[in-house]
Amino acid sequence: MPIEEAQRIHHHRIQQVRDALASVPLLHPALTLEVGCGHGHFLTAYAAVHPSEHCIALDIIADRLERAERKTTKAGLTNVNWLRASAAEFLEAIPPEVRFRGRIFILFPDPWPKRKHWKNRLIQPEFLDQLAAHTAPGIEMCFRTDYAPYFEAASHIIANHLLWDIDAATPWPFEAKTVFEARASGFQSLIAKRAAP
């Protein structure tokens, strides 16, 4: 694909995300984010128990988001927005003044097990930089995976990042089994906190 065409498609996608964000209370004082929400089981349960937070859920598969939205509609929840976007698109589209002051959840992201695909893994220094730019110090990023090599790699990247500190003492904040967790034979979790500048 020519570079110009790729750029045009990219700009179009970013504008679509910005249009979708027009109805989202991005300046809410307790904004929470889930990257890769799947069918919405986790965030629906979380939002129900945390009504003072406003939750934004990202996924790239429309069918998953439709199922997720049906869950919150049935539950009568108004504190969740389901958004079709990748993490990179979302972080590029949101205004610079937006700050997440709730929590960040990254649950069972694609581990991209083949070495040639590791560059596609979500937990990368660039992603942590972008996320840090939109989080207040002390905010928790909760990461969970059932693929041990990815957990080790992500732990190493986070531990060596200047803007995030792994906090082994903080307990996992909320449990609600996702589709991916139900399929897993086991998993590993970590919590990282946004470091002070």
Side-chain angles (χ1 to χ4, degrees), residues 8 22 42 50 103 115 125 127 157 170-171 173 181 195:
R8 187 192 67 76
F42 179 86
H50 299 83
R103 292 185 175 98
R115 186 179 182 88
F127 169 72
I157 290 169
T170 297
E181 184 175 328

Side-chain angles (χ1 to χ4, degrees), residues 33-185:
L33 175 67
E34 184 181 10
V35 180
C37 63
H39 298 138
H41 295 90
F42 179 86
L43 205 64
T44 297
Y46 182 88
V49 177
H50 299 83
S52 64
E53 297 181 29
H54 191 87
C55 303
I56 299 175
L58 308 180
D59 210 284
I60 59 172
I61 299 176
D63 178 65
R64 289 179 180 172
L65 293 166
E66 290 166 6
R67 292 184 186 194
E69 190 160 12
R70 285 198 294 269
K71 289 180 179 66
T72 46
T73 299
K74 184 177 180 180
L77 300 176
T78 58
N79 62 329
V80 184
N81 284 99
W82 307 98
L83 185 66
R84 188 177 184 186
S86 69
E89 290 170 341
F90 175 75
L91 291 170
E92 182 176 341
I94 59 176
E97 66 271 18
V98 172
R99 293 291 179 275
F100 291 95
R101 301 179 190 278
R103 292 185 175 98
I104 313 293
F105 291 102
I106 303 169
L107 308 178
F108 301 94
D110 192 330
W112 295 100
K114 293 183 180 178
R115 186 179 182 88
K116 65 180 179 180
H117 295 149
W118 288 358
K119 64 183 182 295
N120 297 321
R121 288 176 171 174
L122 181 63
I123 303 297
Q124 304 282 358
E126 296 79 9
F127 169 72
L128 296 176
D129 289 342
Q130 293 171 325
L131 196 59
H134 292 285
T135 50
I139 294 305
E140 296 173 359
M141 177 178 65
C142 307
F143 171 72
R144 179 171 281 178
T145 179
D146 60 341
Y147 189 64
Y150 187 22
F151 183 81
E152 293 171 12
S155 298
H156 178 76
I157 290 169
I158 295 167
N160 286 283
H161 198 283
L162 294 176
L163 296 175
W164 294 95
D165 295 320
I166 293 177
D167 185 351
T170 297
W172 191 259
F174 184 77
E175 291 289 356
K177 190 171 286 189
T178 70
V179 171
F180 299 103
E181 184 175 328
R183 294 173 183 165
S185 58

